[in-house]
Amino acid sequence: MALDIKPTRSELINLKRRIKQTENGYNLLKMKRDGLFHEFRTLLSEMIAAREQLVGTYRDAVQSIGLASAIEGGLAVKSAAIAISRHPEVTVTRRNIMGVVVPSVVGTNLTTTIEERETVLIGGSAYIDEASDAYSTLVEKIVKAAEMEATLKRLLVEIEATKRRVNALEYVVIPQMEEARNFIQLRLEEMEREETFRLKRFKNK
């Protein structure tokens, strides 16, 4: 890199300014990387807990639906499910975490009340209600886990990209610029010595 730079004082001044700006950018990127990594670790811990809860909720839901089918009959369970007119929906928007756009998932109609289910059933069944509640809870946890997993993936991609930029600045860009600065400084000092020597020779003639 040093061979491509003109050894002038103006170039040295510009290069020093660029080094300062690059170092400031490097420090900001390091802060961003560390902040993103902190967010990632926090969310990862929450995600692990959410996954464990999700597995437990799934087991409860399977057990509840199995019990309802055994007592009320599979046809009654299917009829109750088909009769519910409200269907779960999700809306995906965007939110910002330290400059990283991540999804925000909001669910609607994820649960139904006993009254809403009984309006379409003659009588009612506590077992079917329990199964419905269990699966409503399961759907809510699935939606939340999906949002967290997508967010983790986005954060991880940004962390890796930021880490590459930090490493490039630390080990390539800044050292090359400092090498060029040192080259210019040495060359200017050499030119100054040569000029001083030339003037001395001229005076001695």
Side-chain angles (χ1 to χ4, degrees):
M1 180 177 179
L3 297 177
D4 299 329
I5 292 182
K6 297 178 181 179
T8 63
R9 295 198 178 277
S10 61
E11 184 67 25
L12 180 61
I13 293 172
N14 290 334
L15 190 54
K16 286 182 176 180
R17 185 180 68 251
R18 287 169 53 200
I19 290 174
K20 184 65 176 177
Q21 292 172 345
T22 304
E23 287 175 340
N24 290 338
Y26 166 75
N27 290 330
L28 289 174
L29 279 176
K30 279 182 61 179
M31 291 173 59
K32 178 181 178 181
R33 179 200 61 189
D34 296 341
L36 286 173
F37 190 63
H38 174 73
E39 292 286 342
F40 180 84
R41 284 188 301 179
T42 301
L43 188 58
L44 181 60
S45 299
E46 295 175 0
M47 180 64 187
I48 292 172
R51 278 291 185 90
E52 293 176 352
Q53 292 178 5
L54 181 59
V55 171
T57 303
Y58 174 75
R59 289 172 181 163
D60 293 341
V62 170
Q63 184 177 357
S64 297
I65 201 71
L67 184 61
S69 297
I71 295 177
E72 301 293 341
L75 182 60
V77 173
K78 290 180 181 179
S79 298
I82 294 172
I84 298 175
S85 59
R86 298 175 61 192
H87 300 289
E89 297 179 357
V90 293
T91 302
V92 181
T93 56
R94 299 186 298 178
R95 61 192 180 99
N96 193 299
I97 299 179
M98 298 188 67
V100 183
V101 177
V102 299
S104 176
V105 184
V106 178
T108 55
N109 298 334
L110 301 183
T111 62
T112 56
T113 63
I114 294 177
E115 290 76 15
E116 289 169 333
R117 293 194 292 270
E118 287 182 346
T119 57
V120 294
L121 294 174
I122 297 175
S125 167
Y127 298 104
I128 292 178
D129 287 337
E130 287 180 6
S132 179
D133 289 339
Y135 269 89
S136 294
T137 302
L138 178 61
V139 171
E140 287 181 324
K141 291 188 180 298
I142 289 174
V143 169
K144 185 61 179 177
E147 176 187 315
M148 296 173 71
E149 185 171 342
T151 300
L152 280 172
K153 288 180 179 179
R154 295 281 180 87
L155 288 177
L156 185 59
V157 169
E158 187 64 23
I159 287 171
E160 290 299 322
T162 304
K163 187 161 58 174
R164 286 195 298 270
R165 290 195 291 268
V166 167
N167 290 340
L169 289 174
E170 182 176 0
Y171 298 110
V172 180
V173 177
I174 293 177
Q176 286 183 347
M177 296 174 72
E178 289 176 339
E179 180 187 357
R181 179 200 60 197
N182 295 338
F183 167 77
I184 293 176
Q185 287 177 334
L186 290 174
R187 186 69 183 110
L188 289 175
E189 290 172 1
E190 182 181 349
M191 292 169 62
E192 185 176 347
R193 286 194 298 269
E194 290 175 353
E195 180 64 17
T196 301
F197 180 72
R198 189 186 65 81
L199 290 174
K200 286 182 177 180
R201 288 186 61 186
F202 179 77
K203 289 181 180 179
N204 292 333
K205 287 184 180 180

